[in-house]
Amino acid sequence: MASNTFGRQLQLTTYGESHGIAIGGIIDGVPAGIQLDLEAIQLELDRRKPGQSAIVTQRKESDIVQFKSGIFEGKTTGMPIGFEIQNADQKSKDYGHIKEVFRPSHADFTYSKKYGERDYRGGGRSSARETANWVVAGALAKQIIPEISIAAYTFSVGELSITDRHKVDMNQIEKNPVRCPNAELAQEMETYIKQIRKEGDTIGGQVKCIINNVPIGLGDPIFEKLHANLAKAMMTINAVKGFEYGSGFSGTTLKGSQHNDEILTNETTKTNYSGGIQGGISNGMPIEFTVAFKPVATLMKAQSSIDESNKQVTVEGKGRHDPCVVPRAIPIVEAMAALVLADAFLINKTNR
Amino acid sequence: MASNTFGRQLQLTTYGESHGIAIGGIIDGVPAGIQLDLEAIQLELDRRKPGQSAIVTQRKESDIVQFKSGIFEGKTTGMPIGFEIQNADQKSKDYGHIKEVFRPSHADFTYSKKYGERDYRGGGRSSARETANWVVAGALAKQIIPEISIAAYTFSVGELSITDRHKVDMNQIEKNPVRCPNAELAQEMETYIKQIRKEGDTIGGQVKCIINNVPIGLGDPIFEKLHANLAKAMMTINAVKGFEYGSGFSGTTLKGSQHNDEILTNETTKTNYSGGIQGGISNGMPIEFTVAFKPVATLMKAQSSIDESNKQVTVEGKGRHDPCVVPRAIPIVEAMAALVLADAFLINKTNR
Amino acid sequence: MASNTFGRQLQLTTYGESHGIAIGGIIDGVPAGIQLDLEAIQLELDRRKPGQSAIVTQRKESDIVQFKSGIFEGKTTGMPIGFEIQNADQKSKDYGHIKEVFRPSHADFTYSKKYGERDYRGGGRSSARETANWVVAGALAKQIIPEISIAAYTFSVGELSITDRHKVDMNQIEKNPVRCPNAELAQEMETYIKQIRKEGDTIGGQVKCIINNVPIGLGDPIFEKLHANLAKAMMTINAVKGFEYGSGFSGTTLKGSQHNDEILTNETTKTNYSGGIQGGISNGMPIEFTVAFKPVATLMKAQSSIDESNKQVTVEGKGRHDPCVVPRAIPIVEAMAALVLADAFLINKTNR
Amino acid sequence: MASNTFGRQLQLTTYGESHGIAIGGIIDGVPAGIQLDLEAIQLELDRRKPGQSAIVTQRKESDIVQFKSGIFEGKTTGMPIGFEIQNADQKSKDYGHIKEVFRPSHADFTYSKKYGERDYRGGGRSSARETANWVVAGALAKQIIPEISIAAYTFSVGELSITDRHKVDMNQIEKNPVRCPNAELAQEMETYIKQIRKEGDTIGGQVKCIINNVPIGLGDPIFEKLHANLAKAMMTINAVKGFEYGSGFSGTTLKGSQHNDEILTNETTKTNYSGGIQGGISNGMPIEFTVAFKPVATLMKAQSSIDESNKQVTVEGKGRHDPCVVPRAIPIVEAMAALVLADAFLINKTNR
C-alpha cells in the first residue's frame, strides 16, 4: 500500500534509494502566491549534508536540489512542486559485502522478509539518505509559516546532557559541529564523539526542539492532535526511539496541582507543562518536545549476524558512517516539525 | 477538516460528546467472514468502565455497546459496522459552573479559540468519554488478528515504579484495581492513589504494553512505520505526554556495540533493544513500548484561571473524577494498539 | 478496504443495511458556527420517502433522522455530526424467497462472490435505502453553502423527454409526483409509469441538475476536477449508467468554433457549452449536468436466474418496488451534488 | 489542497507544466517482485506522442521516460517508483501572445481567478501534456494485472460514428492514424479531420473501451464503485464531457424486462447491459464504457475574448495543435482504466 506520502493538506510524496540515480519528491497543496527563497532551501540542505566536520560521515553528497514545477516567476502557483536531488556519489560497489547479509539492527532482515526483494545497496530505501527529501520540503514549508520559528538542538550525546546548570544560548547552536547551545558542553560532546569513532563504535543522544510564535488553534481534535502528528513525524526519522512533549515522562511523577498550567488574564500560562498544546490544539505558548535517537547501527567493528540462508556470518561496516547521528539530525527534526505545523496551519483555515 | 477517522485500511470514524445523547462510530474495512464474539467486546468495554473500584471515578456509565450493521448471522459481511453507546448518565447540570470558564490544562481554552463555539458540558468532544468508542473498535480489531496477543499494564504511578527487583507476573494484572503485574507494588500504588484523592489531587503514571506473536512484516517504510503509527495512536489518548519503544530514551546513552540486536540463525535476536521493530517493520520479536500519562487536570481543589472575557476566576472540580488515569487507561492502550496492528496486518496482504 | 467515506474535507461516512436495525452516518469536517435548520433536513428526507404517491413504492419508511452530536445550542461546533435513521418497517420475512437466489442485474451475485457472505435481506447494503443517509448529509451540506442553489428534475422517463418545445418551469417540479418541470409532460409520464407498473415492469429515465450562483474557483486541477467529482458522485447513485455535463455527448459532434464559449467583458460567457466548469474549476456560470438511470431491476414478473449452487431458478419480485426510480432520485441527485460542492467550497479556502 | 494524487492503494502523484523543465510522477503501492517490461511502457508513451501522423499536432516531444527508483535488477521492490519525462521542446516564446489573455473554453480564466497566479506558458499545468505521466503509470499498472486486457478505440469523430452496419475489428485499431477498428470508416474520419484542420477548426468525438478477462469482485460498495471510479478517471481526461457504461444513456429508454441480464448457470449473463459491473463490483463479463470528448478549444481562427483587465481582445491559436483529440486519447483512456483496475485488484486482496 502507498506509504510514501506525508501530511493531509500539505502533502509530501517521496521516492528514491540511497544508491539509485536520484531521490526526490512532490510537494502538493502549497498555496499559490508565496514568494519562495530557493537559496534558503538549499542552505537547509547544506546543513544536513555529510562531510561538514570531523565528527560526521565523510561520504560526499553534492546534494543540490533542483525544482521542476509549481514555481513561476519566483512564486508558487498552487501546482505541485516536483524536486530532485541527484545521487552524485553512488559507489554501490562498497556494498557488495552486505548483499546477502542481514546487518544487526538494520532494516535488511525485515525488508527482505516483507517484500521478498531488497535493494541491498546502502540500505536502499531504508537509508537516511531519504531525509534529504524531507529537509527540502520542510525548508519550503517554513516559508508557508514564516512567522513561526522552529529551532532544534542537541540536548544530549550519550550521558553528556544539558542540565539545569548549563546555560542554553540558541545563538551557539550553529557555531559548533555538535549543534549544542552550550559551547562548553559542545566541546565535551565533540571530544566524546571522536573517541567513540576511534573505537569503531557509535553513540545515541537526544534532540530538543522549541517552536515559538505558534498561533492559537493549530491541530485538530481526536485523531489529528498536533502533538500526535509531531510524534508520528519524529518517530518517522531513522533511529528515533522516543518522543515526549511538555512535561513528558517526568510529568508522570507530578501531581495535578503541580502540573496544571495556570491561565493568566493575558491568555498565556504561568508554567508550560502542557508544552504549548492542550487537547491536541496549540494554545499559543512555545511548543517543546524531545526526541530520542539510538546509536547508529553501522559499526566499524565485527558483529555476528546471519545471511539470507540463515547461516551465521560476521559483518563489519565499511565506508563512511556517522558515529553519532544527532548533530546531522537537527535540520531533519526541524524540517519534519515544519511540515506538521504548515499542514496544521493550512487546515485551520477551514474550521470556521 | 475531517479529523475523526483513524487508520488507513481498517478505519474507525467516531462521533460524540461527553454529555450528548450518545457516542458511537463506524468501523470500516473489516474483512468479511470473521465470526465475531460480541460478548468479548462488551467485556473490554466493561474493563474501561468507571466506578469499578474505590480508586477510579464513581461516575456511572452503563456503557452497553449496540451494533447496528455489518454483522449478519454472527459473522462480518465486509460492510461497515456501525455502533453506539448511549450516554445514560448525562447530568449536564453538573457543568454549569464551568460554562464560561477555561479550566487549567484542559482543552476549554483551545477549543473556544479555535472554533468560536464550544460544548462546555463535561469537556464535550475533548472528554475521555470518547475512548469508549476506541475500546469497542479495538476489541473488534483484536478479533481480526486473534493470533497476536496484546497486554498492557501499569508500570508506574508517580514515583512508584516497577524496577528490576519487581517480579512481573502478567496474571496479576486484572487481579488488582491498579492493573499492576506485581501484587505488592499494586498494593502500594492503590494506597498512594487513595491518599492523592483524599488531597483532592491527581497523579501521573506510565503504562507498558507488550505485544507477542507478531508476524514478521507489519508496518510500511518511510511514512507509515509501525512504531510511528503506534506512537501517534498512543499520543492520541487523553493525557499522554510521551512514547518510547524498545530501548527508548535510555537507549540514547548506549553505544551501538551494546545496543545492536544480534540476529541468530533461528531468525530471532539475542537482545530486543529494537523493541520488535526494525526500519518500521515488525521483525517477529515482542513489540514493547511505554506511554507516559500526566496527572489528570481536574482537581477537587481551587485553582486560578480565566473566563471567556479574560477575567480572573477560581475553578474547582465537582462531580466524579479519576485521581489517576492509568488503571483505566490499560484497555485503551490495548485497544489503540490493536487498531494499529490489525490495520498493518490487512495492509500487508497487498505488498507482494 | 474502507469504502464508505465520501469527500475530502467534508467527509460523510455511512453504515447500514436495508433490513437492519438502523442506517446512519457521521458527517465530519463541518465548520463551526453554522446555525442549522434541522427541520429543512427532515423535509429533504421526506422528499425522498417512499409511499408519497401512486407511482412509487408503497413500502413505508418513517425516516426520521436523529442527530447525536456536533450540534450545540442549534449551531455546529466543528465536531463530527453523528446521525441515525431507524429502519421502522423491516419485514425481513419478505426476502426469504431470494435467500439463495441471485436476482438478475442486482448486486446479489457480485457481493456473494466478493465477500463469501451476503446479507440477503432486501439487498442488504446494496439497497437504495442507503441513499437516505446521503439525503441527510446533502441537506446539511446545502446549509454550508446557502448562496448556491441546486435544483434537479426529471428530464425523461423512457422515451418521454423534455425537448425544445417543452417549457421548463422550475416551479412545477414539486407540484407533480414525477418531478418534471413541465406539467403536461409530467402528466404523460405519470400515466406511462402507471401503465409500466401494471405490466409488472419498470422503466429508466434521465435527471437533469442545474446549479446556480456558484462562486468562481471551486474544484481542483488534475485529479480533483469539479466535474470529475460530480461524475463520481452521480455514478455512485444506485441504477445510474451515465453522466454528462455541459454539451455532453452531443458536444462530440460540434466543431470548436461552435462549441467554444466566448468570454464577455463582464466575466460571463455568451454560451455555456462548458457547463459552468473549465479545466475542472467553476467559472461562475450555471453548472448543468444530466444523469442516466436504468430501469429498476426488481420486476413483478418471472425471470430466469441461478441460485448459489448455480442451478437455474425462476425469480419474481414481491413486496413494494418503484416502477421508475427517477422521481425519487431527484433529492438524491441534489444531495450528492451538494456534498461535492460544499466539499470544494471548503477546500477552496486553502488555495491562496 | 493536495489534488495531484490518483488512486487509493496504487497511488500516482504527478507534477509538471507544459513548458517547464520536466513532468513526472511517483507511483506508490506497487507490489514487490513484479518483473517489469520497461520497453513496453515506453511503447505506450510512443503511442500517445504527438507528431505521429498528419492528423495530429506536429509539436515534437521526445517523451523518453526515465525511471529513478523502486526497480532493482528488473523487478519492483515495493518501493515508490519515481519517473520523469523531460520537456525537450519547450518553446515558451510561442505563448507570449496569450500571456494576459483568457482563451475561450480553456482553463486560463478559472486558474487565474482561483490562484491569482498562472503559468500561462502553454496552459501550464492544465495542458494535456500531463497525460504523458498517466500513460507511463497506466502502462506500468497494466503489468500488475497482466491477465486483464484493456482496449480502447475511436468510436466516432463528429457525426461519423460506428453503427450496427460497421464491422468492428480490433486488429485494425493501430493500423490507421485515427485508431478506428473499421478501416473504411477510419479512412472517412481521416479525410474529415484533415478538412477540419484546413478550416483552422477542431471536432469532437467518442472513445469506446472494452476490458476483458476481469476477475469477479473488483470494486467496492457504496463510495468506491468500480464504474464510479472509472467515470471519475475518464472525466479527469482533458476535454471529456461525458461517460456511460453498459447500456448507458440508451438504457434509460428500456424496460426492466428488456434490460435485466439473465444469469446463466455458467455464471455469465445472456446479455451485458450491466456493462460488466453490478452493484459497483465486476461480475466477470466484459466491462464496456464510452467517453465523450468535446472539440479541442484551441482554434487557428480569430475568436473574441477578454484579457486580465477585462478588456475585449481577439485571440487566435498559434503553433501546433490537434484538430481532433480522439486518436491520441486512446492510450490515455486505456492508461486511466488500467490505473483504476489495478487499484481495485490490489484492494480486493484485503476483503476476506
Side-chain angles (χ1 to χ4, degrees), chain A residues 51-62:
Chain A
Q52 297 174 96
S53 76
I55 60 164
V56 296
T57 171
Q58 296 306 300
R59 172 172 164 162
K60 286 214 184 64
E61 296 171 354
S62 62

Side-chain angles (χ1 to χ4, degrees), chain A residues 2-308:
Chain A
S3 64
N4 295 280
T5 297
F6 185 82
R8 294 190 292 152
Q9 183 99 9
L10 179 73
Q11 294 194 314
L12 169 66
T13 304
T14 66
Y15 71 82
E17 288 91 34
S18 174
H19 288 66
I21 297 168
I23 64 170
I26 300 173
I27 309 167
D28 199 3
V30 180
I34 297 175
Q35 187 78 38
L36 285 186
D37 180 348
L38 298 183
E39 209 174 328
I41 297 173
Q42 181 62 49
L43 284 172
E44 283 298 299
L45 199 49
D46 293 346
R47 283 179 74 206
R48 180 203 161 275
K49 200 166 59 178
Q52 297 174 96
S53 76
I55 60 164
V56 296
T57 171
Q58 296 306 300
R59 172 172 164 162
K60 286 214 184 64
E61 296 171 354
S62 62
D63 278 4
I64 304 297
V65 61
Q66 185 192 28
F67 291 97
K68 311 258 182 182
S69 65
I71 305 168
F72 187 58
E73 298 175 344
K75 285 202 264 187
T76 59
T77 60
M79 300 301 115
I81 297 173
F83 67 88
E84 187 181 85
I85 307 167
Q86 305 258 336
N87 282 337
D89 182 29
Q90 303 180 21
K91 281 215 188 170
S92 65
K93 62 176 156 13
D94 271 357
Y95 290 91
H97 64 294
I98 57 161
K99 183 172 173 175
E100 292 177 344
V101 166
F102 299 138
R103 292 167 298 165
S105 293
H106 273 93
D108 300 345
F109 176 78
T110 51
Y111 272 56
S112 276
K113 295 294 173 185
K114 184 180 181 77
Y115 296 107
E117 311 291 325
R118 174 167 67 99
D119 181 345
Y120 53 79
R121 299 166 305 164
R125 181 90 178 124
S126 73
S127 160
R129 177 91 189 106
E130 158 73 8
T131 60
N133 284 329
W134 312 348
V135 169
V136 169
L140 193 147
K142 281 182 184 176
Q143 301 189 27
I144 298 174
I145 45 169
E147 67 283 3
I148 300 175
S149 84
I150 302 170
Y153 58 81
T154 297
F155 181 76
S156 72
V157 171
E159 302 278 6
L160 296 170
S161 175
I162 290 177
T163 61
D164 290 345
R165 65 182 175 79
H166 291 99
K167 192 173 168 285
V168 170
D169 175 0
M170 303 297 276
N171 294 317
Q172 286 298 316
I173 298 171
E174 291 300 313
K175 293 190 178 148
N176 63 73
V178 188
R179 294 198 167 108
C180 177
N182 180 289
E184 195 185 345
L185 184 60
Q187 188 56 56
E188 290 175 54
M189 287 171 168
E190 188 177 345
T191 306
Y192 181 57
I193 292 172
K194 282 176 179 168
Q195 174 203 320
I196 288 286
R197 185 166 61 180
K198 213 171 289 169
E199 296 171 12
D201 217 327
T202 61
I203 187 75
Q206 295 180 39
V207 171
K208 201 178 268 290
C209 185
I210 296 174
I211 308 174
N212 282 297
N213 295 321
V214 183
I216 300 172
L218 305 195
D220 290 295
I222 310 306
F223 298 126
E224 301 291 349
K225 294 188 171 104
L226 188 58
H227 59 269
N229 281 326
L230 284 168
K232 181 167 178 178
M234 295 307 137
M235 300 303 292
T236 294
I237 301 173
N238 307 48
V240 170
K241 304 296 286 183
F243 171 90
E244 60 178 7
Y245 81 106
S247 62
F249 277 85
S250 71
T252 65
T253 62
L254 295 181
K255 294 183 184 177
S257 55
Q258 299 167 304
H259 190 279
N260 278 359
D261 294 316
E262 183 184 331
I263 311 178
L264 306 176
T265 54
N266 66 356
E267 299 193 345
T268 66
T269 60
K270 206 169 182 175
T271 49
N272 187 19
Y273 290 109
S274 297
I277 302 171
Q278 283 165 338
I281 297 169
S282 62
N283 68 352
M285 295 294 289
I287 294 175
E288 299 187 6
F289 61 83
T290 308
V291 187
F293 288 83
K294 69 168 188 172
V296 173
T298 302
L299 311 183
M300 300 296 122
K301 24 170 82 176
Q303 298 175 84
S304 175
S305 190
I306 63 171
D307 64 12
E308 290 189 354

Side-chain angles (χ1 to χ4, degrees), chain D residues 227-271:
Chain D
H227 59 268
N229 281 327
L230 284 169
K232 181 168 178 179
M234 295 306 137
M235 300 303 292
T236 294
I237 301 173
N238 308 47
V240 170
K241 304 296 287 184
F243 172 89
E244 58 178 8
Y245 81 107
S247 61
F249 276 86
S250 70
T252 65
T253 62
L254 295 180
K255 293 184 186 177
S257 55
Q258 299 167 304
H259 190 278
N260 278 0
D261 295 316
E262 184 184 330
I263 311 177
L264 306 177
T265 53
N266 67 356
E267 298 193 347
T268 65
T269 60
K270 207 169 181 176
T271 49

Side-chain angles (χ1 to χ4, degrees), chain B residues 22-79:
Chain B
I23 63 170
I26 300 174
I27 309 167
D28 199 3
V30 180
I34 298 175
Q35 187 78 39
L36 285 186
D37 180 347
L38 298 183
E39 208 175 328
I41 297 173
Q42 182 60 50
L43 284 173
E44 283 297 301
L45 199 50
D46 294 346
R47 284 180 73 206
R48 179 202 162 278
K49 201 167 56 178
Q52 298 174 92
S53 77
I55 59 165
V56 295
T57 171
Q58 295 307 300
R59 171 173 163 160
K60 288 217 181 64
E61 298 171 353
S62 62
D63 277 6
I64 303 297
V65 61
Q66 185 192 28
F67 290 98
K68 310 258 181 181
S69 64
I71 305 168
F72 188 57
E73 297 176 346
K75 285 202 264 186
T76 59
T77 60
M79 300 301 114

